[in-house]
Amino acid sequence: MERTRPERPDFRAADEMFAKAWRVSLPELEARARRFAEGQRDRAEELLANTAIKALLFMRRSPETVTDPCGFLFVVLRHVFLDSVRRRGRDREVFDRNREVDGEVGGFAHDGLSALQKLELDQQLDRVVAAVARMSREQRRLFAYRFIDDLPYPVIAEKLHINQPLARKRVELLRNRLKLVMRAD
């Protein structure tokens, strides 16, 4: 009896999309990761490694949903960073609960959110990501400039070749659109 090899999905297109976006975005991703890691090289490299793994796996799973691979990498980096902050907070909380200060138990290092509140925040973030994915390319670019890159209005206006009041108005309209999506869900 001849043994057949299990079919392996063809990930070539997703891998190429990831590799191209990674090469193009790497300098900016590294800078953002260093900023998130407050200059700590080890943490920045860990953030980048986790970002690469999660982004590649998602692109392999659902390549048709990724319309802006470079922007997607920055979204994943932010998610990885937030996950690491939550994890460190939980680790400190476990440690701090057993610490005594001057004979009193205290110094909890949690952020005060319950598991349900954290889940709700994660679901809201997922809805925002889905809403951004449905936006036009220009709106996604504006979203990235303002909320991912955290660029000031003068820089956004310069990049879009518009005046600063128009840049502010477009960001306001984008915010309103996101608020409507959040209320509708």
Side-chain angles (χ1 to χ4, degrees):
M1 181 176 193
E2 189 176 317
R3 195 174 205 184
T4 59
R5 292 173 77 181
E7 280 191 39
R8 186 171 167 236
D10 185 17
F11 295 128
R12 238 184 322 235
D15 290 353
E16 288 173 12
M17 177 174 54
F18 169 79
K20 182 179 176 187
W22 188 260
R23 278 192 300 272
V24 168
S25 304
L26 187 57
E28 291 177 49
L29 285 168
E30 287 174 332
R32 179 76 47 83
R34 278 192 307 273
R35 196 167 71 212
F36 283 153
E38 298 172 338
Q40 295 179 15
R41 186 181 205 149
D42 294 356
R43 282 185 52 212
E45 288 176 359
E46 183 180 348
L47 289 172
L48 284 173
N50 289 338
T51 298
I53 291 168
K54 288 185 181 210
L56 178 61
L57 291 175
F58 184 87
M59 286 180 182
R60 282 182 167 185
R61 224 178 311 127
S62 305
E64 67 282 353
T65 62
V66 180
T67 56
D68 179 12
C70 294
F72 177 71
L73 291 173
F74 286 95
V75 171
V76 173
L77 175 62
R78 183 152 178 82
H79 280 267
V80 167
F81 167 69
L82 292 173
D83 287 345
S84 73
V85 168
R86 289 183 196 112
R87 194 174 321 108
R88 278 198 321 269
R90 283 192 303 265
D91 292 347
R92 280 194 304 265
E93 182 178 329
V94 169
F95 176 75
D96 286 344
R97 284 181 192 262
N98 298 316
R99 186 181 72 173
E100 290 186 22
V101 180
D102 295 331
E104 295 180 20
V105 177
F108 295 151
H110 61 80
D111 56 19
L113 296 178
S114 69
L116 181 60
Q117 289 170 320
K118 289 177 184 179
L119 177 63
E120 288 173 351
L121 285 175
D122 285 342
Q123 289 172 344
Q124 285 179 345
L125 187 56
D126 289 342
R127 288 195 303 267
V128 168
V129 169
V132 170
R134 291 189 301 266
M135 291 178 181
S136 70
R137 181 180 174 92
E138 293 79 23
Q139 290 172 322
R140 286 193 310 267
R141 187 175 348 148
L142 179 61
F143 180 87
Y145 287 158
R146 185 65 188 130
F147 302 109
I148 296 175
D149 297 337
D150 200 24
L151 296 177
Y153 288 106
V155 175
I156 293 171
E158 182 181 322
K159 285 183 172 279
L160 296 177
H161 307 291
I162 58 176
N163 61 35
Q164 192 174 338
L166 183 56
R168 287 182 182 278
K169 185 63 176 180
R170 287 185 181 175
V171 169
E172 179 187 349
L173 292 171
L174 190 65
R175 268 195 191 106
N176 290 341
R177 181 176 179 181
L178 288 172
K179 286 177 186 176
L180 284 173
V181 168
M182 297 306 290
R183 282 189 208 125
D185 291 340

